[in-house]
Amino acid sequence: MVAPTPPTLDPKELNKFYINGQYVSPVSKETYILRNPKDDTIVADAVPVGGPEDVDAAVAAAEAAFTGPWSTFTAAQRSECLRRLADILEDKMMDILTLDSLTTGNPVSLIPSREKNYIKSNLLYYSGWTDKQKGDYYPADDGFVKLVRHEPLGVCVGINPYNSPVASFVIKAAPCLATGNVLIIKPSEKSPLGSLALAPLFEQAGFPRGVVQVVCGDGRTGALFAKHMRVRKISFTGSVATGKKIQIAAAESNLKRVTLELGGKSPAVIFEDANIENALTWTINGILARSGQVCVAASRVYVQESIADQFIEAYTQRMKDAALRLGDPQDPETTLGPLADAASFARVQAMVEKGKTEAQLVVGGVQHGPSGCFIEPAVFINPQPNAEIYKNEVFGPVAVVKTFQTEEEVLELANDTEFGLMAGVFTRDINRALRVSSKIDTGVCGINCISYMNIQAPFGGKKASGIGREFGEYALRSFTEPKTVLIK
């Protein structure tokens, strides 16, 4: 079967689900409107919300695909499909990612420089893993030969965030499919269009129909998947509050496997011997990426007192200058766009207003321009110990800078949080760098860098920042179950 493609990439035509190799009209009749956050214009006026029948249909098709032709694909065939998909996306990526720019505010300037290579690299990386996840053999010294092999879980569901919808789709799909599973994607209700446009390209790349499907909707649709008795794994990227609900639903249904990549409040620790220019570059980029709407945003900056005045002056000026880069995200020259929607804008504004009573606002935090969801990058200093702006994830271009005197002090400050996703240590002293990085309670810690992920190494958080890991060989483990075979 040749996979259908939309007649155009007009977002108003992507008002169906992609189930079992075709675009289908939803059983549920509930729809909602998507708007462009730069000017509140309507992008799509009838985006469907998946209901119980729609979810059941996708799961049934996924099960049929898992036990059907897909189960006979060799590792080499799976690898070929992933590589072919990477080739297909070479020409289609710009159009697909531009769809999501219309509803997220992500600048299209990021597509050729970051998104395209990132997505393609994920597909090519896991195409090389399809035949390399080895098992184990233990000798029969007790009369039993012991074999261990890694088997796919079956029907997996990816529930994705709005900030990087297609990249998140591929981050989950590549290891999931490399290990022989099938996947249903529930994109964020704020950014479903790129995922719907991407879906049929999997069949064009050679994957059987039903192996990859997309059902959009809001949290109610995600909840249906989380508690579905025929789903074997949920991979969720999003907020801590929603992650907790998914874990509860998974436990109360069929104890399905869960990977949770949740929020962060990442500390960047700048010691007095650091390369100041390098530290400025990384910390500024780490809070402005996607207008601060990333889980690894460098939102807490700790600066040693002896260099604090110098660093804060330069940091504040660069954040002030960044406001000049705010503009139309569909303009290829724009590098900093708006927040994703009016709800996100209102939330960040409310946190900034409260922050003014708990810390000192030195720059930004106001609406940029007469309309749209643009907010000027903000810097707070001298926060109260329990200030909301200091303790909670903002998910916007808002940073808090605090000074410290000793290594012991800053470790206590950096670890005084329930988040534990990303951190950065800036120093020229390699012994200090390794010592401090080992004591910061996070899943990832950069030395002289921050807010960076590498596909070869596991990515994920500690504490409330999540469960499980993505990227590298570790992602393959999360999509398989070891089976022990005993031979007498």
Side-chain angles (χ1 to χ4, degrees), residues 118 161-164 168 171-172 236-240 260-267 285-300 392-396 419-423 442-444 450-453 459-461 464-466 470-471:
Y118 185 72
Y162 66 81
N163 58 348
S164 55
S168 295
I171 286 169
K172 298 182 193 312
F236 170 73
T237 303
S239 71
V240 175
L260 302 175
E261 198 277 280
L262 307 178
K265 192 70 176 174
S266 302
N285 290 343
I287 191 61
L288 295 184
R290 301 184 192 278
S291 299
Q293 299 171 112
V294 291
C295 55
V296 296
S299 54
R300 287 186 294 153
N392 295 343
E393 184 176 38
V394 179
F395 226 63
F419 292 109
L421 184 58
M422 173 70 67
T442 58
V444 181
I450 192 170
S451 307
Y452 175 73
M453 299 167 285
F459 171 73
S465 285
E470 296 178 318
F471 296 166

Side-chain angles (χ1 to χ4, degrees), residues 40-59:
D40 204 39
T41 54
I42 292 177
V43 176
D45 57 6
V47 183
V49 176
E53 295 91 345
D54 303 302
V55 168
D56 285 344
V59 173

Side-chain angles (χ1 to χ4, degrees), residues 16-258:
K16 297 181 179 182
F17 302 139
Y18 191 78
I19 296 177
N20 202 27
Q22 59 186 336
Y23 288 100
V24 299
S25 298
V27 176
S28 168
K29 300 305 177 185
E30 184 176 353
T31 63
Y32 64 96
I33 294 172
L34 279 175
R35 297 178 181 274
N36 192 320
K38 73 178 182 183
D39 55 12
D40 204 39
T41 54
I42 292 177
V43 176
D45 57 6
V47 183
V49 176
E53 295 91 345
D54 303 302
V55 168
D56 285 344
V59 173
E63 283 192 313
F66 180 66
T67 58
W70 180 235
S71 65
T72 68
F73 271 48
T74 65
Q77 287 175 302
R78 295 198 301 272
S79 176
E80 183 179 3
C81 289
L82 289 168
R83 286 185 281 111
R84 193 179 295 130
L85 179 61
D87 290 340
I88 291 171
L89 284 174
E90 187 69 33
D91 296 326
K92 299 181 181 294
M93 192 83 74
M94 192 73 191
D95 290 339
I96 290 173
L97 292 175
T98 297
L99 280 174
D100 284 332
S101 172
L102 296 174
T103 64
T104 64
N106 287 337
V108 296
S109 63
L110 300 178
I111 297 173
S113 61
R114 299 184 193 176
E115 295 273 312
K116 186 175 179 180
N117 291 336
Y118 185 72
I119 289 169
K120 184 174 181 179
S121 294
N122 269 272
L123 292 169
L124 295 178
Y125 176 83
Y126 283 107
S127 73
W129 264 110
T130 59
D131 60 354
K132 296 177 182 65
Q133 195 179 29
K134 59 184 181 297
D136 297 296
Y137 161 81
Y138 299 95
D141 53 357
D142 59 354
F144 293 87
V145 173
K146 283 82 67 177
L147 304 178
V148 181
R149 60 190 184 212
H150 299 277
E151 298 185 343
L153 300 173
V155 179
C156 302
V157 173
I159 301 179
N160 285 341
Y162 66 81
N163 58 348
S164 55
V166 172
S168 295
F169 190 149
V170 172
I171 286 169
K172 298 182 193 312
C176 176
L177 303 179
T179 48
N181 296 282
V182 293
L183 180 67
I184 304 169
I185 288 291
K186 203 295 286 183
S188 167
E189 63 272 24
K190 297 182 182 183
S191 53
L193 302 178
S195 299
L196 287 165
L198 172 62
L201 303 185
F202 284 85
E203 277 88 37
Q204 289 186 26
F207 292 94
R209 65 180 184 179
V211 171
V212 175
Q213 304 174 94
V214 175
V215 177
C216 51
D218 55 21
R220 292 168 294 171
T221 308
L224 291 171
F225 282 117
K227 65 184 180 182
H228 202 288
M229 295 298 292
R230 307 297 291 180
V231 171
R232 301 304 172 190
K233 176 185 171 67
I234 296 283
S235 178
F236 170 73
T237 303
S239 71
V240 175
T242 303
K244 289 179 179 180
K245 293 177 182 178
I246 287 173
Q247 189 171 19
I248 291 170
E252 290 180 344
S253 55
N254 58 350
L255 286 172
K256 57 178 62 66
R257 302 294 177 262
V258 176

Side-chain angles (χ1 to χ4, degrees), residues 281-311:
T281 297
W282 279 98
T283 52
I284 292 292
N285 290 343
I287 191 61
L288 295 184
R290 301 184 192 278
S291 299
Q293 299 171 112
V294 291
C295 55
V296 296
S299 54
R300 287 186 294 153
V301 181
Y302 297 100
V303 188
Q304 202 154 20
E305 282 189 356
S306 59
I307 60 167
D309 290 344
Q310 173 191 359
F311 183 89

